[in-house]
Amino acid sequence: MAQARVLFRAAQEEALLLEQASARRRHQEVRAFVDELQRRDDGSDEALQVWIATGERVANRLDSFRALANPTFPAPSAQDLQPYLGAWSPWGPTRR
């Protein structure tokens, strides 16, 4: 059971980090797009100004580093541990 808990936590940590990395890539893509819009802006195109403002808001919302908090992981249920127990039952010391 202890090993199943370790494996379950490792899977939770990996999923969280991959999710955060994906969010960071989305932020970087939007930020690069906004930077390019700003580079092309000569002040004469009102639509471009709207795109820049919208892009800034979206980029700020997507910046996961602005609200980075300590990760929390819920305790696994018996069913959560089942994939990590092999032939053993999560409800007691019996084989399935």
Side-chain angles (χ1 to χ4, degrees):
M1 247 346 204
Q3 182 63 21
R5 289 181 201 284
V6 168
L7 294 172
F8 177 75
R9 173 58 62 86
Q12 285 181 311
E13 291 171 341
E14 182 179 331
L16 177 63
L17 282 173
L18 289 172
E19 179 184 314
Q20 289 298 313
S22 177
R24 185 69 186 155
R25 282 190 301 277
R26 287 191 309 270
H27 171 260
Q28 289 172 328
E29 289 174 7
V30 170
R31 175 57 55 203
F33 183 72
V34 172
D35 290 348
E36 181 62 22
L37 291 173
Q38 289 172 330
R39 189 183 71 72
R40 293 172 182 237
D41 182 25
D42 64 5
S44 66
D45 187 345
E46 189 176 322
L48 189 56
Q49 295 294 318
V50 172
W51 274 99
I52 290 170
T54 301
E56 288 285 346
R57 285 191 304 275
V58 171
N60 288 336
R61 280 195 304 269
L62 291 176
D63 188 355
S64 59
F65 289 134
R66 285 179 168 232
L68 203 57
N70 286 335
T72 58
F73 302 101
S77 69
Q79 278 192 312
D80 291 332
L81 296 177
Q82 200 165 6
Y84 305 100
L85 291 171
W88 292 99
S89 169
W91 293 278
T94 59
R95 288 188 179 269
R96 287 186 264 150

